[in-house]
Amino acid sequence: MTWQDDEARDLVKSFGARMQLFVRGEGAYLWDADGKRYLDFLAGIAVDSLGHAHPVFVDAVAAQAATLVQVSNYFATPPQLALAATLKRLAGTGEAGRVYFGNSGAEANEAAFKLARLHGAKSRERGADRPRILALKDAFHGRTMGTLALTGKPYMQEPFLPMTPGVEFIDSTVEALEAAIDDRVAALFVEPVKGEAGVLPLPDGYLTAAREITERHGALLIIDEIQTGAGRTGEWFAFQHEGITPDAITVAKGIGSGFPIGAMITFGAASDLFYPGTHGSTFGGNALGTAVANAVLGEIERAGLVQNAADRGAQLRAAIEGIGSPLIVGCRGMGLLVGVGLRHPVAKALVAAAQEHGLIINATNDDTIRLVPALTIGDVEIDEFVTLFTAALRTVEDALVLPTTTEVPA
Ligand SMILES: *Cc1c(COP(=O)(O)O)cnc(C)c1O
């Protein structure tokens, strides 16, 4: 019996076959059961901000586990209050902001979805209904039924129809937003860099325009920072690149560096939409998760990892373009959220070749590689990445019969 047999027999088939069995991690490296080492440029999908087994993470888990873990939301704990204050400060909400804690990105977005509905309900009391929610085509907001309804990918929704009603999908342009919005819209949901869709940043100035337009129509602007938050794009949150103030953001992935935690952070008047009895979670905001996230965010701040993400991201993009592979069209993204565009639909072959060479990367679709390493990476990891990625590219180039300009079409 191999681990593949166990997996095929015992795990729900909602994922494709797992590519490796990992037994240990340290920093930017993973090891499989045979002791082979891999450079990890996926980091649990933009989650392991501090890399694997970082001492700050390990100590925070151990210390809090030995102190207090779970008391339910009938009670408060010091780490929960400290994390709420820290998230408010980093997001720049000022006094008026509030934080709701869940355990994942989807739970953070479920809270935001309910926030939008509560905004609609409040308008209804004043005689002006807001049954509409706008979201962007191709953006990803999660896999639960509520967040799937917000996710503009028809092929993902199709097996699970009917969806929760009211959500309409628009192109990611200011013109499309202007054309679609009216005073019956409760909220616009935005993913600032569409990660799952292939690391596609919004057009420059989109968030600034979206802020002005949603405000004019009394709609909330809700920004999904689940992949872009916690410093990954070179600011604490991607919306800060445009200096706007949203009504709510959602965070998860990087804030726990592998510990499952998510949160919705509200700004201004949106902070007073929830009232007792309207939402909750048994585990959400427990002392263990919030203590770990406090430690993780504290280490990101102490070690200057937001700036490191900006600098290493630029260095990584330049290094990839310097490889000069005929397969590479160019790089996209912000900070350490990098998409590599490919000229042929070989992303999956490249992922497999990279693993042969000891490198973990991710294909978001047939012609995009996503790179989201730990925010702690430095020169050594980038140099090693370039060596391994170049080797993987050569493997795929050699296997491909690339059409040349001298070929006469049949
Ligand atoms: C990963 C992700 C989610 C979903 O988070 P889960 O923790 O998998 O539920 C939602 N939105 C964005 C932008 C994401 O990247």
Side-chain angles (χ1 to χ4, degrees):
M1 280 299 216
T2 64
W3 68 266
Q4 286 94 341
D5 296 324
D6 294 341
E7 186 218 354
R9 187 191 56 238
D10 296 339
L11 297 184
V12 166
K13 294 189 278 185
S14 64
F15 298 98
R18 271 68 167 179
M19 295 181 280
Q20 305 286 345
L21 180 77
F22 288 122
V23 297
R24 190 168 75 82
E26 195 181 314
Y29 297 95
L30 289 166
W31 282 265
D32 69 17
D34 299 326
K36 178 177 168 181
R37 193 180 85 156
Y38 300 78
L39 177 65
D40 182 8
F41 263 48
L42 181 57
I45 317 184
V47 168
D48 307 313
S49 349
L50 302 184
H52 302 283
H54 192 289
V56 166
F57 178 94
V58 173
D59 291 350
V61 173
Q64 192 62 41
T67 305
L68 183 66
V69 173
Q70 161 81 11
V71 295
S72 91
N73 282 302
Y74 287 117
F75 309 100
T77 64
Q80 184 186 67
L81 300 177
L83 183 60
T86 298
L87 288 173
K88 283 178 61 174
R89 174 172 62 81
L90 298 178
T93 68
E95 274 286 299
R98 294 186 186 277
V99 179
Y100 170 82
F101 290 113
N103 309 285
S104 65
E107 282 178 69
N109 280 342
E110 288 285 347
F113 198 158
K114 286 176 91 170
L115 184 81
R117 290 284 204 245
L118 286 174
H119 181 53
K122 199 166 171 190
S123 301
R124 199 150 59 236
E125 284 167 21
R126 300 184 184 133
D129 204 5
R130 290 183 182 273
R132 306 176 65 205
I133 289 177
L134 301 180
L136 302 183
K137 283 180 193 162
D138 243 10
F140 179 78
H141 297 297
R143 299 279 197 165
T144 58
M145 287 306 294
T147 60
L148 189 57
L150 293 170
T151 293
K153 295 171 185 270
Y155 74 93
M156 280 177 58
Q157 294 188 345
E158 205 277 330
F160 303 103
L161 295 174
M163 288 291 120
T164 300
V167 185
E168 299 163 46
F169 298 103
I170 60 174
D171 287 330
S172 303
T173 62
V174 175
E175 297 73 43
L177 175 58
E178 284 280 22
I181 202 166
D182 61 17
D183 292 352
R184 289 165 54 78
V185 171
L188 169 68
F189 277 81
V190 170
E191 188 187 4
V193 180
K194 287 182 218 162
E196 308 300 307
V199 192
L200 306 171
L202 288 172
D204 276 341
Y206 182 89
L207 290 179
T208 307
R211 175 65 291 181
E212 190 273 312
I213 295 166
T214 47
E215 202 161 289
R216 188 167 6 109
H217 290 279
L220 302 181
L221 175 60
I222 300 175
I223 304 183
D224 180 340
E225 295 267 6
I226 289 166
Q227 190 154 160
T228 50
R232 177 143 304 271
T233 69
E235 290 280 357
W236 276 104
F237 303 102
F239 79 84
Q240 292 167 335
H241 288 283
E242 290 203 20
I244 60 151
T245 303
D247 296 294
I249 65 172
T250 52
V251 298
K253 291 198 167 86
I255 66 168
S257 194
F259 198 94
I261 181 168
M264 174 186 67
I265 305 164
T266 56
F267 297 67
S271 304
D272 293 319
L273 287 167
F274 277 102
Y275 51 91
T278 44
H279 201 38
S281 154
T282 300
F283 297 129
N286 73 60
L288 181 55
T290 52
V292 175
N294 272 324
V296 169
L297 295 176
E299 178 61 14
I300 291 175
E301 204 161 21
R302 189 204 62 76
L305 298 182
V306 180
Q307 189 58 45
N308 194 56
D311 297 343
R312 299 305 176 178
Q315 184 184 348
L316 180 60
R317 283 194 293 274
I320 291 166
E321 284 173 358
I323 292 173
S325 166
L327 283 179
I328 294 178
V329 181
C331 287
R332 302 185 284 269
M334 298 167 95
L336 282 174
L337 174 51
V338 174
V340 184
L342 302 174
R343 191 158 279 124
H344 301 278
V346 294
K348 291 197 174 70
L350 193 52
V351 166
Q355 283 181 36
E356 287 298 312
H357 291 284
L359 171 67
I360 301 298
I361 55 176
N362 169 245
T364 59
N365 53 35
D366 288 341
D367 57 11
T368 308
I369 294 294
R370 171 174 46 183
L371 305 172
V372 279
L375 306 185
T376 49
I377 62 160
D379 289 329
V380 173
E381 287 86 358
I382 290 186
D383 288 349
E384 188 178 357
F385 168 82
V386 171
T387 303
L388 298 174
F389 193 52
T390 303
L393 284 162
R394 300 288 179 253
T395 302
V396 174
E397 285 162 18
D398 290 348
L400 262 189
V401 186
L402 294 174
T404 65
T405 46
T406 54
E407 247 173 79
V408 183

